[in-house]
Amino acid sequence: MSKEKVVLAYSGGLDTSIIIPWLKENYDCEVIAVCGDVGQGKETEGLEERAKASGASKLYIEDLREEYVKDFIFPTLKAGAVYEGKYLLGTSHARPIIAKRLVEIALAEGASAICHGATGKGNDQVRFELTIKALAPHLKVIAPWRIWDIKSREDAVDYAEAHNIPIPVTKKDLYSRDRNIWHISHEGMDLEDPANEPQLDNLLKLTTPPEKTPDKPRYVTIGFEKGIPVSIDGKAYEPVALVEELNKIGGEYGVGIADIVEDRLVGMKSRGVYETPGGSILYAAHEELEYLCLDRMTQSFKRQAAIKFAELVYDGNWYTPLREALSAFVDSTQETVTGEVRLKLYKGHISPAGAKSPYSLYNEDIASFGDSRELYSHKDSEGFINLFGLPLKVRAMMMEKHK
C-alpha cells in the first residue's frame, strides 16, 4: 500500500527545511516539495539537492513570475491598493498564486494534504488556507507551527542541527525575510522593538541607504497603456523585465523603503521593514497619471475602493467574488489611463516631474487665468455659489431668529 502524499510549500528556508523530516516522522508520508518561483532569485539555487537531502521524494520548481506580475501585481497596482498607507502588499499577493500552484500539483499527484510553514501568529497561514478552501476544499491542511513543540526560530535551528539538516541561517542572523520580484520584507530580531531604528546598512538587500545614493537626481519616464506599465524611458519592456529594471533603478536611488507597524489580520500589531523600489516608482507614476485622466467622482470612489481592495489582498481574500468585482470596476476606470509620467528620484524620494496623456482631462483653455469666456464664464460662478451655499444661508437665517 502506497504512503499518503503531502505537498509542501517549500522555500528552502529554515522553517520548510525542518518541516520535511518532521512530516515524515509524524505522518509517515511521502513529502512532495513545491517551490513557487515568484522572483526570489538565487534563493532557488541548489533547492533540489537540499529538499531531497532533507527527505523529500521530489521537488517542483515552478516559474510563476510572469503570471504573478500580470495577474496579481498589476491588478493591485491599477487598483492603487496600499495597506495602511505604506505596505505595497508584496508578500500578500504572492501567497495566492503559490497556493494555487500547490493545489494544482496536489491534485495531479493525488495528494491528500497540503502543508505550509506559516506561523500561527502570522497572516500567511490565512492566505494559503483561504486559497486552498476556494480552489480545493476537500484537501486537508497541515500547519506544523500550530501543532509542533518548536516555539522559536532558535528552537528550529537546534532541530536542524540535531537532524543534520543544512539551513541558510544562523542564530546570529535570524531576520525573517520574504523575497520576490516585487519586494523583500524584514521582520524579527531588533526590529521587534518599534523604538529601534532599522540598521539599514546591515538590513537592506535591494536598496541603497538614501544617504549613500548618488548626489545628482535621476529622471525616469514610465509609459502606461490602460493602467498597465509598458515602457521605461521610451523603451518597451515585458512585465517581468520591467519590474526588474525598475528595482535596479529605484534601488540605486534609495526609494521604496517602508518602516511600518502594521495591523495583522490575526489581531496583533507587528513591525517590519519593506523594500519595494520598483513598485514604489510604479505606484507614484500611476497615481500621477490618474490625476490627469480620471474625473473627480471616479477618483474619489476609486480611493475608497482601493482601501477595501488592499484589505482583501492583505487578508488572503484574492479568490473571492468581491475582489473579482472590484477588479472589474478598476479595469473600467483604466480605459483612459494611458500616457507617460516623468519622475525625479533623489535620496530616497520620488517627485513628479510632468505627465502627459492623449486622454488628459486637463484643459488649459479652462484652467488658465486668461480669457476663456467661450468655455467658462466667471459670472456663472455667482449663481453656483448661491445655490451651493443656500443650506448655510438658510441655517444662518434660522439661527438669527433664535438669538
Side-chain angles (χ1 to χ4, degrees):
M1 184 176 180
S2 60
K3 289 185 177 181
E4 180 181 19
K5 293 181 180 180
V6 175
V7 168
L8 169 66
Y10 182 76
S11 68
L14 173 60
D15 297 341
T16 56
S17 293
I18 65 172
I19 283 174
I20 294 175
W22 182 87
L23 280 172
K24 294 172 71 70
E25 288 176 2
N26 290 273
Y27 289 85
D28 189 29
C29 60
E30 178 186 348
V31 179
I32 299 169
V34 177
C35 173
D37 182 2
V38 286
Q40 51 267 54
K42 294 182 179 180
E43 292 179 16
T44 61
E45 295 178 1
L47 280 189
E48 184 171 7
E49 294 79 4
R50 286 160 55 189
K52 290 184 176 179
S54 300
S57 63
K58 67 176 72 171
L59 171 70
Y60 288 86
I61 299 181
E62 302 293 293
D63 187 352
L64 306 175
R65 292 173 298 167
E66 184 172 2
E67 182 183 358
Y68 176 40
V69 175
K70 291 174 62 176
D71 296 346
F72 292 80
I73 290 177
F74 284 174
T76 306
L77 167 68
K78 289 191 293 183
V82 181
Y83 185 69
E84 296 191 334
K86 286 188 176 182
Y87 176 36
L88 301 188
L89 298 163
T91 298
S92 305
H93 49 35
R95 296 309 185 232
I97 187 174
I98 294 172
K100 171 176 171 284
R101 191 64 184 127
L102 290 171
V103 167
E104 292 168 348
I105 290 175
L107 296 177
E109 287 280 355
S112 60
I114 291 176
C115 178
H116 63 75
T119 73
K121 289 185 177 182
N123 302 300
D124 282 343
Q125 58 183 333
V126 182
R127 296 163 184 157
F128 277 121
E129 294 179 37
L130 289 190
T131 299
I132 295 168
K133 290 179 185 298
L135 302 181
H138 67 282
L139 289 174
K140 294 184 293 185
V141 173
I142 302 173
W145 273 103
R146 301 204 294 251
I147 54 180
W148 64 13
D149 294 329
I150 296 172
K151 303 300 181 185
S152 67
R153 289 178 67 79
E154 288 79 8
D155 288 349
V157 171
D158 291 338
Y159 182 95
E161 292 175 349
H163 290 74
N164 296 315
I165 301 169
I167 53 175
V169 299
T170 67
K171 289 185 177 181
K172 292 182 180 180
D173 182 18
L174 285 179
Y175 285 113
S176 178
R177 291 187 170 99
D178 179 72
R179 181 171 187 165
N180 59 44
I181 193 172
W182 188 242
H183 89 156
I184 183 168
S185 64
H186 312 267
E187 294 178 324
M189 295 186 69
D190 57 302
L191 297 179
E192 291 185 345
D193 184 350
N196 290 334
E197 179 183 7
Q199 302 303 303
L200 298 183
D201 286 338
N202 300 322
L203 192 68
L204 300 180
K205 300 294 184 181
L206 296 176
T207 318
T208 302
E211 62 270 19
K212 295 184 178 180
T213 58
D215 292 328
K216 292 184 179 181
R218 162 72 186 265
Y219 288 87
V220 60
T221 300
I222 310 298
F224 289 86
E225 292 181 4
K226 295 186 177 183
I228 297 173
V230 295
S231 67
I232 303 171
D233 294 331
K235 179 182 177 181
Y237 281 82
E238 292 298 313
V240 171
L242 183 139
V243 174
E244 290 176 338
E245 180 64 17
L246 287 178
N247 275 334
K248 294 176 184 176
I249 295 171
E252 183 182 356
Y253 285 82
V255 303
I257 303 169
D259 182 357
I260 178 173
V261 176
E262 71 194 53
D263 289 290
R264 286 185 178 175
L265 173 62
V266 294
M268 69 185 73
K269 288 185 180 289
S270 66
R271 196 273 190 95
V273 173
Y274 298 97
E275 299 177 67
T276 321
S280 297
I281 293 172
L282 288 175
Y283 265 78
H286 183 261
E287 182 179 44
E288 289 301 317
L289 193 57
E290 286 195 328
Y291 282 135
L292 206 60
C293 299
L294 297 186
D295 64 275
R296 180 177 179 235
M297 287 192 294
T298 301
Q299 278 201 83
S300 177
F301 187 81
K302 187 171 180 291
R303 290 190 187 105
Q304 298 175 52
I307 295 173
K308 174 53 68 174
F309 198 106
E311 291 173 351
L312 290 171
V313 176
Y314 187 85
D315 294 350
N317 281 304
W318 186 268
Y319 293 102
T320 60
L322 179 55
R323 199 282 306 166
E324 293 169 358
L326 285 179
S327 283
F329 160 72
V330 168
D331 286 345
S332 72
T333 70
Q334 301 298 291
E335 286 295 318
T336 59
V337 184
T338 294
E340 291 186 340
V341 178
R342 190 168 183 247
L343 300 172
K344 181 170 74 172
L345 314 180
Y346 183 65
K347 298 292 182 184
H349 296 281
I350 303 174
S351 304
K356 60 182 180 180
S357 168
Y359 301 101
S360 172
L361 296 177
Y362 178 85
N363 189 311
E364 187 175 355
D365 290 337
I366 297 176
S368 170
F369 285 100
D371 188 0
S372 57
R373 281 173 292 182
E374 292 185 8
L375 291 170
Y376 186 95
S377 172
H378 290 271
K379 292 181 180 179
D380 291 342
S381 61
E382 181 179 357
F384 165 74
I385 294 170
N386 286 336
L387 292 177
F388 189 64
L390 184 59
L392 295 176
K393 185 175 181 178
V394 171
R395 183 178 184 277
M397 292 167 62
M398 177 274 293
M399 295 293 289
E400 286 181 354
K401 290 180 180 181
H402 294 280
K403 283 185 177 178

